[in-house]
Amino acid sequence: MTDHALQGLDGPVLHDEVIAARAPWRHRINAGQSLRIVDLEGNQAVDFLLYAAGDDSERYSAQDTIAAQANIFLRRGTPLLSNEGRTMMTITGTAVDYHDTIGGACSCESNTLRYGHHTKAQHACVDNFLDANLRDGRGKRDIVPNINFFMNVPVEADGALGIVDGISAPGLTVDLRAEMDVIVVVSNCPQINNPCNGFNPTPVRMIVTA
Ligand SMILES: [Zn+2]
């Protein structure tokens, strides 16, 4: 049977893994290698951070990325810049029009403020980022504003933000090429209090090619 998730990929597959719903993920991707993220069941936010493998004080910078392209949405061709102004990865393809980098990651603290104290024990992206980062010795202070692949955060003309129904659908993909050796840290978002995951967190697939 044809594996549609592999269509259009060039190099040999180096790594192919499904991240369970609500789970963290961490993986090194070397310069020249590519990562495809597959939204297997649709409407699943993939919270995403990058650290330089050689010196993790260099990491993804939403501010620099937005300022450099003078646009808040991440699209095909967007270079993902570090806090040193260097390109860490480039979005080489996307089946979704745009991706978010201003909505941030969900946390137990923000959940209780937004949705009530009864959400305190719910798992959150910040927990996942911390779990994955601790394996390299990074702590809470190393969690910076992140990318939300497949999350729809529209910005109105007056600057108002929303988190609304996903723009993604089952099997849609985003492709990234590493421009330096990077550590990718992901939270497969467990949020169930707003529509970013269709109120039903689901697995995503990560495919690394040479
Ligand atoms: Zn989340």
Side-chain angles (χ1 to χ4, degrees):
M1 204 177 89
T2 307
D3 188 344
H4 293 287
L6 298 175
Q7 278 183 359
L9 291 178
D10 295 330
V13 174
L14 302 174
H15 190 80
D16 188 350
E17 183 177 355
V18 171
I19 310 179
R22 305 176 186 81
W25 189 75
R26 173 195 165 284
H27 198 81
R28 178 181 175 131
I29 299 179
N30 289 333
Q33 297 175 353
S34 291
L35 170 67
R36 169 167 288 181
I37 307 173
V38 187
D39 186 357
L40 290 171
E41 298 185 29
N43 287 352
Q44 178 58 47
V46 178
D47 289 49
F48 184 100
L49 288 171
L50 286 171
Y51 299 87
D55 174 3
D56 64 8
S57 67
E58 181 171 12
R59 67 268 309 257
Y60 174 68
S61 168
Q63 303 95 308
D64 288 282
T65 298
I66 291 167
Q69 67 172 11
N71 195 287
I72 53 171
F73 293 126
L74 310 184
R75 305 177 193 267
R76 187 165 67 86
T78 294
L80 305 178
L81 299 188
S82 73
N83 54 335
E84 307 285 345
R86 300 199 298 161
T87 303
M88 304 185 80
M89 297 186 96
T90 302
I91 298 178
T92 52
T94 171
V96 176
D97 281 347
Y98 59 87
H99 302 268
D100 167 73
T101 193
I102 50 176
C106 62
S107 67
C108 294
E109 292 80 1
S110 64
N111 278 345
T112 56
L113 280 171
R114 289 174 183 159
Y115 310 115
H117 190 70
H118 68 283
T119 64
K120 179 72 175 75
Q122 291 176 3
H123 193 48
C125 282
V126 168
D127 301 326
N128 277 339
F129 281 157
L130 193 57
D131 180 298
N133 269 339
L134 281 171
R135 289 151 211 276
D136 295 325
R138 289 182 295 273
K140 286 184 177 177
R141 289 178 187 277
D142 298 302
I143 299 173
V144 295
N146 57 288
I147 296 168
N148 294 301
F149 285 117
F150 303 113
M151 188 161 114
N152 191 13
V153 182
V155 181
E156 308 298 338
D158 67 355
L161 303 184
I163 295 179
V164 299
D165 262 350
I167 47 179
S168 190
L172 296 189
T173 58
V174 59
D175 292 322
L176 303 131
R177 183 182 61 236
E179 311 292 0
M180 64 170 73
D181 298 350
V182 294
I183 305 296
V184 172
V185 169
V186 159
S187 167
N188 193 11
C189 181
Q191 181 61 266
I192 53 172
N193 300 289
N194 70 45
C196 70
N197 305 316
F199 300 99
N200 177 36
T202 50
V204 296
R205 181 175 171 188
M206 314 298 271
I207 305 165
V208 181
T209 52

